[in-house]
Amino acid sequence: MPQVTITIAEGRTPGQLRTLLHEVHEAVLRSVDTRPEHIRVVVHEVPRTHWATGDLTLAEMRAAASTDGSGHGRDAASLPPP
């Protein structure tokens, strides 16, 4: 009974999460000799303020990336999720 656990930063749409669940399920089904109903996929969403890399939270990294150094801000919403 395969179980896959995915930890991901919050911010994806329900549709994106559903696609992720489906694609992971299909990959396990193709790769492992098991029945579809035995595959478990769990997604843990973590708030961006609770996940740090290099002593910066993902929220802080995104805020820093919203300024390109020239004083002209970039729209943080247009940045891809980390």
Side-chain angles (χ1 to χ4, degrees):
M1 200 180 283
Q3 178 168 325
V4 178
T5 303
I6 300 167
T7 304
I8 192 168
E10 283 183 335
R12 276 52 177 208
T13 67
Q16 289 173 318
L17 293 173
R18 184 64 188 102
T19 298
L20 176 63
L21 292 166
H22 172 74
E23 294 296 333
V24 170
H25 179 271
E26 291 298 310
V28 172
L29 188 58
R30 283 191 309 270
S31 305
V32 179
D33 183 27
T34 192
R35 295 184 0 210
E37 63 270 20
H38 290 171
I39 300 170
R40 308 287 188 260
V41 182
V42 179
V43 174
H44 296 278
E45 288 189 284
V46 178
R48 292 176 183 276
T49 56
H50 295 180
W51 187 328
T53 301
D55 199 31
L56 289 175
T57 68
L58 296 181
E60 292 166 336
M61 291 168 53
R62 180 166 247 201
S66 68
T67 302
D68 64 11
S70 67
H72 299 93
R74 291 188 350 213
D75 179 17
S78 69
L79 297 173

